Amino acid sequence: MFELKKIQEFPLKKCKNFGYTFSVIFVLMTLYFFFQNNILFFYFFSISTFFFLLTYYLPTYLKLLAFYWEKFGILLGKIFSPIVLVLVYIVTILPINLILRILTIDLLKRRINSKTKSYWIERLDEKIDFRNQF
């Protein structure tokens, strides 16, 4: 009942985007199989034409497919986003951190030195007048 109401309220623009996208995907598959001299190109061309005509004349018939396709995309996003983020962390941040630790480089200057009298950093530039900022 609740799903049916969401499907009925699904925007028509998203249905059209879904239909045109799949039409283009099947046209590309048609071209691939056409240049491979495979008989499957006729079937993909038929499917592409069907999606295009259905999208152009009766886009409301695509509400069910477009709704569940969007749900499938959200599910894939929930699965693959953490995996991609972990891979990015492992490939970029972790090696840089290991290199900085091995070379004992302190980028934030957090290391305490007992010989230093003050950690105050003197400004080399002149004072800034905040009244005339722009």
Side-chain angles (χ1 to χ4, degrees):
M1 179 76 179
F2 188 65
E3 287 281 316
L4 185 61
K5 187 172 181 172
K6 281 186 175 180
I7 293 172
Q8 289 173 347
E9 294 174 355
F10 198 71
L12 196 62
K13 184 174 181 175
K14 287 187 179 182
C15 297
K16 287 183 178 183
N17 287 341
F18 170 79
Y20 289 134
T21 301
F22 269 80
S23 179
V24 168
I25 288 171
F26 283 115
V27 163
L28 293 175
M29 292 172 76
T30 299
L31 292 173
Y32 174 75
F33 285 116
F34 178 75
F35 288 119
Q36 295 294 325
N37 292 328
N38 195 335
I39 194 68
L40 289 175
F41 82 91
F42 180 73
Y43 299 114
F44 285 112
F45 179 73
S46 301
I47 295 170
S48 173
T49 306
F50 172 75
F51 265 108
F52 181 76
L53 292 175
L54 190 65
T55 303
Y56 191 74
Y57 292 112
L58 301 167
T60 56
Y61 287 166
L62 293 173
K63 278 189 177 186
L64 183 69
L65 284 173
F67 178 77
Y68 283 114
W69 184 256
E70 186 173 299
K71 290 280 190 192
F72 179 65
I74 291 170
L75 175 70
L76 285 179
K78 286 182 180 181
I79 293 171
F80 286 106
S81 288
I83 294 171
V84 169
L85 287 174
V86 165
L87 287 175
V88 167
Y89 176 78
I90 290 172
V91 169
T92 59
I93 296 173
L94 197 62
I96 292 171
N97 186 16
L98 290 174
I99 290 169
L100 291 176
R101 286 182 184 213
I102 289 171
L103 299 176
T104 61
I105 298 174
D106 187 18
L107 294 177
L108 296 177
K109 297 183 173 64
R110 293 176 45 191
R111 196 170 296 125
I112 297 175
N113 187 355
S114 60
K115 296 178 183 178
T116 305
K117 292 182 181 179
S118 172
Y119 288 102
W120 187 268
I121 301 172
E122 292 290 331
R123 287 177 51 163
L124 300 176
D125 57 345
E126 297 178 14
K127 291 184 180 179
I128 300 171
D129 183 15
F130 287 107
R131 291 185 194 139
N132 298 320
Q133 294 181 41
F134 306 106

